[in-house]
Amino acid sequence: MAFILIKGRFHVVGYSPDGDSIRFQAYNLEHWSKLQGISPELNEENHAQIRLIGIDSLETHFRQCQQSVKWALNAAHFLLESLEIDEVKWNEEKNIIISAQDKIEGFILVKKTDQHGRPLAFVFKGEIDHPDGEEFFLPINLFFESVNYQSLLSGQSYPTYYRGIAPTLRKKMTWAVNQARKNKKGLWEFDLTNHGFNVWDLFDEEKTVIILPKLFRRLVSYLETSDNLNYFKHSVVKSEKVLILPNKRKKLFRDIIIQDEHFFKLSELPEDLVYL
């Protein structure tokens, strides 16, 4: 699968990186014009917010709500350590990095941006012996070194697939997820996405309920305006469809949410879903 190779540096000081996003400064800004989709949104430092393809880590600050701080920070620390960003110090609230040895060299393989102007990328530390800005076919051995793949293999993030990920790469990522779940690595020891959970426990002070972030976001968004759970499923966007693997059945996302009053779960495994 062809990507654009972009070399640069990773930045975290003054930002709130989590397990699936980080700021990146390209050495050559002209390479951003090669991506599909809307133009990448750059700040005054020419830093772009990179979104790691295929993974979704626990929410640290979605609409003023957060999931398990422990596992959200674990995923962020995994990302930082994978990129060899050292001496990281967070503010008291653990949501902004105030100092670190960042500006670390690395590269991304990216094809397009999302609807928010974030480049969707596989992320790597270090150097690569290919010209900056070239169209690059991602070999499997390099893919295994990506932070994306390693995060899934270590159980730090959930798989979250959208159209555009090559089936060969997606299957490799799913293999990593299955290994992590089998060995109860990281969040899989505590995951309740398919087992079921009490929705009100999501807001318990201890925040011990670990579920797919996409479902968490849908519930939080709904509960901002209503505490009547009877209408929750009707509030989930009708056009939000999923392809269920391996038989490739299409359903609405809301139709794979099973609700029994204030108890919820998904009927399908996260790695069997491709969001359309």
Side-chain angles (χ1 to χ4, degrees), residues 38-52:
I38 65 176
S39 298
E41 184 175 331
L42 307 180
N43 64 13
E44 63 276 6
E45 302 292 335
N46 287 322
H47 297 171
Q49 178 82 345
I50 303 300
R51 183 73 171 78
L52 276 69

Side-chain angles (χ1 to χ4, degrees), residues 27-263:
Y27 290 144
N28 187 338
L29 298 180
E30 293 182 4
H31 293 331
W32 292 127
S33 66
K34 299 177 180 181
L35 305 188
Q36 300 173 13
I38 65 176
S39 298
E41 184 175 331
L42 307 180
N43 64 13
E44 63 276 6
E45 302 292 335
N46 287 322
H47 297 171
Q49 178 82 345
I50 303 300
R51 183 73 171 78
L52 276 69
I53 295 175
I55 71 173
D56 199 2
S57 58
L58 298 193
E59 293 292 342
T60 57
H61 45 269
F62 179 75
R63 299 183 183 271
Q64 309 304 314
C65 292
Q66 58 186 194
Q67 295 182 264
S68 167
V69 175
K70 173 186 175 181
W71 289 107
L73 285 178
N74 278 1
H77 291 156
F78 182 87
L79 172 62
L80 299 175
E81 290 170 5
S82 297
L83 296 174
E84 298 183 352
I85 297 174
D86 300 324
E87 299 181 31
V88 176
K89 293 184 179 179
W90 297 80
N91 64 356
E92 187 174 349
E93 292 78 19
K94 300 291 185 183
N95 57 9
I96 297 176
I97 291 178
I98 57 176
S99 66
Q101 292 292 330
D102 66 351
K103 303 179 183 178
I104 298 298
E105 289 190 330
F107 61 97
I108 63 174
L109 292 175
V110 58
K111 188 174 183 178
K112 62 183 180 180
T113 60
D114 68 8
Q115 59 183 343
H116 305 292
R118 298 177 300 185
L120 301 170
F122 287 103
V123 169
F124 303 84
K125 67 178 179 181
E127 300 179 353
I128 186 171
D129 190 21
H130 286 270
D132 188 16
E134 81 166 356
E135 188 172 344
F136 184 83
F137 285 86
L138 174 57
I140 288 296
N141 62 332
L142 181 60
F143 165 74
F144 288 148
E145 297 177 13
S146 68
V147 178
N148 314 52
Y149 179 83
Q150 291 296 324
S151 182
L152 293 177
L153 187 62
S154 300
Q156 299 299 326
S157 301
Y158 282 93
T160 302
Y161 306 143
Y162 288 88
R163 286 182 296 185
I165 299 180
T168 53
L169 299 183
R170 188 184 65 227
K171 289 176 182 178
K172 298 293 185 184
M173 298 176 92
T174 291
W175 183 89
V177 172
N178 291 338
Q179 291 301 303
R181 182 188 283 112
K182 176 182 175 181
N183 296 309
K184 295 185 177 180
K185 284 189 175 182
L187 53 79
W188 293 114
E189 183 177 358
F190 308 97
D191 170 61
L192 294 176
T193 303
N194 300 109
H195 296 287
F197 59 94
N198 184 330
V199 68
W200 303 118
D201 289 343
L202 292 173
F203 308 99
D204 184 81
E205 186 174 349
E206 299 298 321
K207 291 184 169 57
T208 57
V209 175
I210 309 298
I211 63 168
L212 184 71
K214 192 175 188 71
L215 179 56
F216 174 81
R217 292 191 291 268
R218 297 294 176 271
L219 286 164
V220 168
S221 297
Y222 175 76
L223 291 171
E224 275 190 329
T225 58
S226 176
D227 59 2
N228 186 342
L229 292 169
N230 292 333
Y231 301 102
F232 167 70
K233 290 181 66 173
H234 294 285
S235 75
V236 179
V237 182
K238 291 183 179 180
S239 61
E240 191 169 31
K241 296 179 181 178
V242 292
L243 186 69
I244 302 172
L245 304 172
N247 297 323
K248 297 185 178 181
R249 294 175 291 123
K250 288 185 180 180
K251 282 191 174 183
L252 296 176
F253 178 66
R254 70 183 187 186
D255 289 338
I256 65 170
I257 300 172
I258 297 176
Q259 178 182 355
D260 182 7
E261 296 183 350
H262 50 278
F263 288 92

